[in-house]
């Protein structure tokens, strides 16, 4: 998967004349913060060079995870055609670009982001692009959100890992209240990311929210550690992406986990593949999460 052409060109304009050595140092610092799930009260993308490093090294993978998650939602809910969108922890607008690429009818979006720096970057990336009309607001998801009109699609991507555990339940409650159609949450495809998604899933089910994906049921998750549910999407690396990460391979695999809850229950629930098929001696073995709540 690659970034849309307009976004790719906008990123290249934003990064031209930025010294490669500075990008590499900032990307390494950012990567270490993400891997350690650092919660020190500072925003990951508060400084200009951190935002530029994100554009070079993380935006393609974040876009790919969001786009793949939205593709799964569109498959599970073919009649869901969002016209309005709310995105929180919006970063430079990754979810807006992914949603516009997935649903043609999207016409308006409100993007909440706490960092002035990354909010400005997102506005520059979107300037002149064929995107829905977007309103950017200052919004810190670790605090009560401002009064907003509910939207068809509400998104929260790669944000929960930055929050203190106690801040997550009230945020999820508020996001579901703002959801007319579908709430989509995306997290890193790690055991810790899966555990956070499970907590959110339990909360939403208790609130009466039908699960639209990836689970084909609302029963307790049938997986147990050390196993965990996650997905992967292959991402093409640009030349600058490779140089920033000091990488030789022209692609990387982004592992992610998502949860979609919808006001409309999916009509046809299909078994969900939990890992790639295994083939041997004329057999194909599939590990599936079944609509009755079993994994087999």
């Amino acid at each position: 998967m690659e970034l849309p052409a307009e976004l790719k060109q906008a990123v290249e304009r934003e990064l031209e004349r930025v010294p490669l050595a500075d990008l590499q140092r900032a990307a390494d610092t950012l990567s270490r913060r993400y891997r350690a799930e650092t919660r020190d009260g500072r925003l990951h993308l508060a400084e200009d060079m951190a935002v530029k490093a994100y554009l070079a090294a993380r935006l393609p993978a974040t876009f790919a995870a969001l786009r793949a998650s939205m593709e799964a939602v569109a498959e599970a809910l073919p009649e869901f055609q969002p016209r309005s969108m709310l995105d929180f922890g919006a970063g430079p607008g990754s979810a807006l670009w992914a949603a516009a690429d997935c649903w043609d009818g999207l016409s308006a979006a409100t993007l909440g982001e706490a960092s002035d720096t990354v909010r400005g970057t997102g506005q520059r990336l979107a300037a002149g692009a064929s995107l829905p009309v977007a309103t950017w607001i200052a919004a810190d998801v670790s605090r009560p959100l401002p009064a907003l009109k509910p939207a068809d699609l509400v998104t929260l991507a790669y944000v929960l890992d930055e929050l203190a555990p106690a801040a997550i339940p009230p945020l999820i409650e508020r996001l579901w209240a703002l959801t007319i159609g579908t709430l989509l949450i995306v997290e890193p495809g790690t055991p810790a990311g899966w555990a956070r998604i499970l907590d959110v899933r339990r909360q939403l089910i208790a609130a009466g929210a039908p699960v639209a994906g990836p689970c084909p049921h609302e029963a307790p998750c049938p997986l147990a550690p050390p196993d965990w549910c996650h997905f992967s999407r292959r991402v093409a690396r640009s030349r600058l992406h490779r140089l920033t990460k000091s990488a030789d391979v022209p692609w990387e695999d982004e592992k992610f986990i998502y949860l979609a809850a919808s006001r409309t229950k999916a009509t046809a629930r299909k078994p969900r593949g939990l890992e790639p098929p295994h083939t041997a001696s004329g057999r194909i073995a599939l590990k599936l999460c079944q609509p009755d709540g079993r994994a087999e």
Side-chain angles (χ1 to χ4, degrees):
M1 180 176 286
E2 296 186 16
L3 294 178
E6 283 186 307
L7 179 54
K8 186 177 180 179
Q9 292 163 7
V11 167
E12 289 172 352
R13 288 193 299 269
E14 192 73 18
L15 296 180
E16 63 185 2
R17 301 189 186 91
V18 178
L20 177 61
D22 292 348
L23 269 183
Q24 290 173 326
R25 281 193 295 272
D28 181 64
T29 299
L30 188 64
S31 178
R32 283 188 276 107
R33 284 183 65 83
Y34 275 123
R35 285 197 303 269
E37 297 190 357
T38 303
R39 301 187 184 99
D40 56 8
R42 293 194 301 116
L43 298 170
H44 289 343
L45 301 181
E47 299 174 357
D48 182 62
M49 189 52 67
V51 176
K52 286 180 166 50
Y54 177 89
L55 296 182
R58 278 297 305 161
L59 177 59
T62 302
F63 173 86
L66 276 159
R67 185 62 181 83
S69 302
M70 291 174 182
E71 183 179 306
V73 170
E75 180 181 348
L77 302 169
E79 295 183 2
F80 177 61
Q81 296 294 327
R83 297 187 60 80
S84 59
M85 175 182 181
L86 288 172
D87 179 38
F88 295 99
S94 315
L96 173 63
W97 285 90
D101 194 53
C102 186
W103 289 289
D104 293 336
L106 193 66
S107 59
T110 298
L111 289 80
E113 168 56 48
S115 165
D116 295 338
T117 304
V118 73
R119 204 163 58 244
T121 300
Q123 290 172 311
R124 289 194 300 274
L125 293 177
S130 51
L131 287 172
V133 176
T135 301
W136 290 78
I137 63 171
D140 185 345
V141 293
S142 66
R143 300 174 182 174
L145 297 177
L148 293 164
K149 290 178 60 176
D152 299 324
L153 174 67
V154 178
T155 54
L156 185 79
Y158 292 85
V159 171
L160 297 182
D161 64 328
E162 296 186 37
L163 298 179
I168 295 176
L171 173 62
I172 298 304
E173 181 180 4
R174 178 72 174 123
L175 295 185
W176 181 238
L178 287 168
T179 303
I180 295 174
T182 299
L183 169 62
L184 175 65
I185 300 170
V186 182
E187 281 287 290
T190 62
W194 175 62
R196 286 189 293 271
I197 286 288
L198 283 184
D199 288 340
V200 170
R201 181 180 183 271
R202 283 189 286 267
Q203 179 182 348
L204 287 169
I205 290 172
V211 174
C215 325
H217 57 81
E218 280 88 26
C221 179
L223 299 184
D227 202 0
W228 78 96
C229 185
H230 64 287
F231 305 93
S232 181
R233 180 56 62 100
R234 181 150 291 185
V235 181
R237 284 173 170 161
S238 67
R239 179 176 179 274
L240 181 59
H241 189 168
R242 294 198 304 273
L243 290 173
T244 300
K245 300 187 82 168
S246 301
D248 297 322
V249 180
W251 49 263
E252 67 183 26
D253 291 324
E254 174 67 4
K255 293 181 172 59
F256 64 96
I257 179 65
Y258 74 94
L259 177 70
S262 180
R263 298 287 180 182
T264 303
K265 193 167 185 176
T267 53
R269 292 189 156 187
K270 302 176 183 178
R272 168 69 69 179
L274 291 173
E275 59 187 41
H278 298 279
T279 59
S281 304
R283 299 178 64 235
I284 300 176
L286 303 172
K287 185 173 183 180
L288 301 176
C289 187
Q290 298 283 14
D292 63 5
R294 293 177 298 121
E296 62 178 1

